[in-house]
Amino acid sequence: MSLIPKSHPRAKSLYIRERLVKGFDSGLVAKEGLMAHGRGETFDYLLGEKTSKHAQKAIQAAAFALVNATYPVISVNGNVAALCPREIVKLAKVTGAKIEVNLFYANEKRKKNIVKALRKAGAKEVLEINSKSSRRISGLDSARRVVDKNGIYKADVVVVPLEDGDRTIALKKAGKKIITFDLNPLSRTAKTADITIVDNVVRAINRLILECKSKKIRKTQFNNKKNLAACVLEIKKNLSRRMSHA
Ligand code: PTJ
C-alpha cells in the first residue's frame, strides 16, 4: 500500500521512487542506485516526464535492431530489477533475447535476489555469471569486466539500461551494438551507445515492447548524436516555457 495519495500532484514520480525504495529494502538495489535514480528524476523533470517524439524515434530504431539481432541480450541491474522486472521478461520474450544479471557494484547476494525477482516475474532462464560461465571484456578493471559467456560475451546487440559510461565504452569496443535507456542525454553512456532512448525506462520499455510486437516494424533513419542534441534542445525549451510561466 502506498502512502502517497493519488491526488498528489507528483504522485506518479513518487510512486516510481517508492518502487526503488522497496527494491532497496528487499535487497535488489544498491545504495548508489538510489542516488542514480535521483539523478534520473532530475532529468525526467526537465524533460517534462513524458515520452518525447525523439525518444519514440529511438524506440523505433531500437525495436528494429532488436528484432533483427542474431543474439540479443538484456543486461539487468538492481534499479531495473526493482523498476520493471515483468517488462524485462516480456521484452526478452518478444525479441528472443537472453537476460543477464550484470551488476556495476558486484555483490553475490544482491545478484541472487535479482535472479529470484526475475524468475518470479516469469523469466524461464536468467544468466548470472558463475565461475564456469564468466568471460572477460577488455578495457575495464577486474570486477566490472566479467560477463557471461552465453550472454553479453556472445551478444551482437546488448540492451544496457541505466549503465555506467566506462562499461558502455568497453562493450562498444568489444564490437557490440548498444541500446540504452538513459534520462541524461549528456551522459557518457548516452553518447557512446548506438541507440539511446532518453526517457524513463518505466515509461519507455512498454513502448519498446509494443514496437517490437508490431507487424509494421521497419528500418528508420536514426542518428544518435542528432537525437541526443534534439533531447537537449527539448530540455532547453521546457525550461524556457517554465520560466515564462513562473
Ligand atoms: O545495480 P548495479 O550495481 O548494477 O548499479 C546500478 C547503477 C544504476 C547504480 C549503476 O549502473 C550506476 O552507477 O549508473 P550511473 O553511472 O549512475 O548511470 C545511471 C544513468 O541512468 C544516469 O545517467 C541516470 O540519469 C539514468 N537514470 C536513472 N534512473 C533512470 C535513468 N534512466 C532512465 N530511467 C530511469 N528510471
Side-chain angles (χ1 to χ4, degrees):
M1 258 301 271
S2 172
L3 293 173
I4 316 291
K6 278 191 189 135
S7 58
H8 192 290
R10 304 211 36 75
K12 266 192 190 165
S13 174
L14 295 176
Y15 291 148
I16 301 175
R17 194 182 279 184
E18 274 188 342
R19 278 193 237 173
L20 246 291
V21 172
K22 216 171 139 199
F24 176 76
D25 288 341
S26 50
L28 302 175
V29 176
K31 280 187 200 133
E32 294 83 354
L34 296 174
M35 289 178 236
H37 183 75
R39 187 186 297 170
E41 269 187 359
T42 311
F43 280 97
D44 207 7
Y45 191 81
L46 297 175
L47 285 157
E49 294 171 324
K50 58 182 190 304
T51 305
S52 69
K53 61 175 191 279
H54 315 297
Q56 187 57 36
K57 216 171 160 189
I59 288 168
Q60 278 162 352
F64 186 83
L66 270 173
V67 300
N68 287 289
T70 306
Y71 201 88
V73 173
I74 306 168
S75 178
V76 176
N77 64 22
N79 287 43
V80 174
L83 289 173
C84 47
R86 279 187 205 89
E87 291 80 0
I88 289 290
V89 175
K90 260 192 220 159
L91 183 63
K93 220 177 228 170
V94 299
T95 58
K98 300 272 179 204
I99 300 174
E100 173 171 337
V101 176
N102 196 300
L103 302 182
F104 181 71
Y105 298 102
N107 175 317
E108 276 304 307
K109 178 85 182 87
R110 197 156 61 85
K111 188 175 77 179
K112 294 281 174 224
N113 291 341
I114 295 170
V115 172
K116 226 192 240 170
L118 289 166
R119 288 199 183 279
K120 201 171 155 204
K124 298 265 177 295
E125 184 193 20
V126 183
L127 302 168
E128 53 172 306
I129 319 168
N130 52 47
S131 50
K132 277 191 194 142
S133 71
S134 74
R135 291 290 180 275
R136 298 182 191 311
I137 45 166
S138 54
L140 275 178
D141 55 39
S142 54
R144 297 187 308 150
R145 70 182 181 197
V146 182
V147 292
D148 196 290
K149 78 171 168 106
N150 298 311
I152 292 175
Y153 188 74
K154 201 169 153 185
D156 56 339
V157 177
V158 191
V159 184
V160 283
L162 288 64
E163 184 58 279
D164 161 73
D166 277 4
R167 295 224 304 190
T168 309
I169 292 167
L171 290 173
K172 204 51 220 142
K173 279 192 186 148
K176 317 289 178 193
K177 184 172 223 172
I178 305 291
I179 298 170
T180 190
F181 295 84
D182 195 328
L183 278 160
N184 179 1
L186 302 166
S187 78
R188 284 182 313 141
T189 289
K191 289 184 192 164
T192 307
D194 296 275
I195 303 169
T196 304
I197 301 167
V198 181
D199 195 6
N200 199 318
V201 66
V202 170
R203 274 191 303 272
I205 195 163
N206 284 312
R207 287 177 177 253
L208 180 59
I209 293 164
L210 273 180
E211 206 61 49
C212 289
K213 278 187 187 162
S214 160
K215 300 264 184 297
K216 286 185 259 165
I217 194 162
R218 63 192 161 82
K219 195 172 167 64
T220 50
Q221 282 291 331
F222 185 78
N223 178 315
N224 204 46
K225 274 205 176 77
K226 282 191 185 155
N227 198 269
L228 291 177
C231 293
V232 174
L233 214 61
E234 192 72 30
I235 291 177
K236 205 173 148 199
K237 272 196 233 154
N238 283 341
L239 282 171
S240 311
R241 217 173 292 140
R242 275 174 190 271
M243 286 306 288
S244 64
H245 287 106

